[in-house]
Amino acid sequence: MSETRKDVNERLQGLLARASHGRDDFEDLVIVPLFAVVAALIFGALVMLATAVDIGTIGRSFVALAYGAFGSLNAISETLTASIPLVLAGLGLGLGFRAGLFNIGAEGQVIMGGIAAVIVGFSLTGLPWIIHLPLVLLAGVLVGAAYAAIAGVLKATTGAHEVISTIMLNLISYELLNWLLRQPWIQRPGRSDPISKSVPDTAQLPRLLTQIDPNLRLHAGIVVMLLAVALIYWLLFKSKLGFAFRTSGENPSAANYAGMKAGLIIVLAMGVAGGLAGLAGATQITGVLGRASPGFSAGIGFDAIAVALLGRSHPVGILFAGILFGALEAGGRQMQVSAGVSIDLIGIIQALIIVFIAAPLLVRAIFPWGFRRKKGGAA
């Protein structure tokens, strides 16, 4: 009888421990990012006050921000269109973070994937779109993966830190893009500025809402984005390779002791991350731009770092974080037009979000009532 009671007590304690752990995970994954966004908006308002913007204008700017992001079908279309490359690149960065790799080279991988999509797009002619479009997207994935794998190989074979090597690869990609765009076989005929030939219609992602309004830019890349979220979720949490990624990231020594090949895991993680970033560049080319020019990536790879951090490196979290950043981008333009507040404020808010995400204890100190109070009084 006493053994049965002891067994029941142990099971109850285990359930309570699991419930407590689940609450902590929920706070880290959901509550902290939400309060980080709120705190960033509040501090953004304070920044506007400090620059002599009156309270009425601040109120109108936030209303315009919300309206420009979700206030109309066109606003929603712009928000989702802007979120597509951010989510794709963010998924790759989040996967790298899970594997213990701080890959900040997504910007370069976006560029390489985008330029590969352009070259394959205009080089292959006469193909039906059902073959042409997948080939163009695949080219972006493969080139992005190969470019990121360089940093993975360097880390696995020489110990070179991926932060340094990916920064160097970003700089190389800028110069390589400028050089490629001036080559006669890539440069658009009749143009003296560095701009590529256009991607033909058979290699462009179809727009989804043109029957409602021809100006709506939302394209089929959103389907690619949702499939990528589902695929990365399965890869990370339902596959052996994802288990190896997460184990290597959380405890490299345990991974080595378990017989996992650390070098191979690093190269594979970097390759998958780069492939997703390359896909982000390819979708931006085939869905929005139609050609490549200097700076076509527009900092997507750097913004995706904030997306991955805000999403806590979880595919679903990254999806919502990417939509939020897409909303900030789309709403920021409306805010500038309606309230006359510089769109640079959006950059400040994004930077503040990163600051608060990187300092969860600060978020808990600002909003102590939003978190479960632990034993000893700490939130």
Side-chain angles (χ1 to χ4, degrees):
M1 183 68 182
S2 60
E3 291 182 356
T4 302
R5 184 176 297 173
K6 182 180 178 181
D7 183 54
V8 170
N9 287 335
E10 289 178 349
R11 290 187 179 185
L12 285 174
Q13 289 175 359
L15 288 173
L16 288 173
R18 288 173 59 187
S20 175
H21 183 66
R23 170 67 182 179
D24 290 342
D25 287 345
F26 178 77
E27 290 183 352
D28 287 338
L29 292 174
V30 179
I31 304 298
V32 169
L34 284 177
F35 280 144
V37 173
V38 172
L41 291 173
I42 292 173
F43 277 81
L46 294 176
V47 169
M48 282 192 279
L49 275 176
T51 54
V53 178
D54 60 86
I55 294 179
T57 302
I58 294 173
R60 289 198 302 276
S61 67
F62 282 124
V63 171
L65 179 67
Y67 183 79
F70 300 108
S72 65
L73 185 57
N74 182 62
I76 295 172
S77 171
E78 289 299 306
T79 293
L80 294 177
T81 301
S83 69
I84 291 169
L86 291 172
V87 172
L88 289 172
L91 286 171
L93 290 166
L95 185 143
F97 295 160
R98 289 272 181 177
L101 298 168
F102 196 69
N103 165 31
I104 59 173
E107 181 72 5
Q109 295 146 23
V110 168
I111 291 173
M112 298 307 295
I115 192 66
V118 166
I119 293 172
V120 173
F122 69 70
S123 298
L124 300 177
T125 57
L127 297 176
W129 73 268
I130 198 168
I131 297 176
H132 200 180
L133 179 58
L135 285 177
V136 169
L137 296 179
L138 182 62
V141 172
L142 293 178
V143 173
Y147 200 62
I150 295 173
V153 171
L154 289 174
K155 182 177 179 66
T157 56
T158 67
H161 202 286
E162 70 275 11
V163 170
I164 304 300
S165 56
T166 49
I167 288 174
M168 295 297 106
L169 287 169
N170 281 342
L171 298 176
I172 292 171
S173 69
Y174 293 144
E175 299 305 322
L176 189 58
L177 174 66
N178 289 331
W179 179 77
L180 286 172
L181 289 177
R182 292 192 179 278
Q183 301 308 303
W185 57 282
I186 293 180
Q187 192 173 22
R188 179 178 294 185
R191 297 288 294 263
S192 58
D193 53 334
I195 188 167
S196 75
K197 298 174 183 174
S198 296
V199 174
D201 292 341
T202 53
Q204 294 195 17
L205 287 161
R207 296 191 175 183
L208 304 178
L209 303 176
T210 51
Q211 291 185 345
I212 300 174
D213 184 345
N215 295 320
L216 297 177
R217 300 196 302 166
L218 180 62
H219 55 79
I222 192 170
V223 178
V224 176
M225 177 188 78
L226 294 175
L227 290 175
V229 170
L231 177 63
I232 297 304
Y233 180 85
W234 174 85
L235 176 65
L236 277 176
F237 302 110
K238 303 294 182 182
S239 71
K240 291 182 180 178
L241 182 60
F243 178 74
F245 285 163
R246 290 186 288 124
T247 304
S248 179
E250 293 179 7
N251 195 327
S253 300
N256 288 329
Y257 187 76
M260 298 178 184
K261 298 179 180 178
L264 181 61
I265 290 172
I266 290 171
V267 176
L268 286 176
M270 288 296 295
V272 174
L276 287 163
L279 181 60
T283 56
Q284 190 68 0
I285 289 292
T286 57
V288 178
L289 302 174
R291 62 184 186 276
S293 59
F296 79 87
S297 59
I300 289 171
F302 294 121
D303 291 342
I305 296 175
V307 169
L309 291 173
L310 183 62
R312 311 301 273 178
S313 301
H314 191 287
V316 178
I318 290 171
L319 173 63
F320 286 107
I323 293 174
L324 172 65
F325 272 60
L328 288 174
E329 182 177 330
R333 294 192 288 268
Q334 183 68 34
M335 183 179 73
Q336 188 173 27
V337 172
S338 299
V341 175
S342 172
I343 198 170
D344 292 337
L345 176 70
I346 298 302
I348 295 174
I349 291 175
Q350 290 176 342
L352 286 170
I353 289 174
I354 297 174
V355 169
F356 287 114
I357 285 293
L361 292 179
L362 180 59
V363 175
R364 290 173 182 271
I366 296 174
F367 305 100
W369 42 268
F371 298 92
R372 182 174 59 88
R373 188 164 293 278
K374 298 177 181 178
K375 290 182 179 179

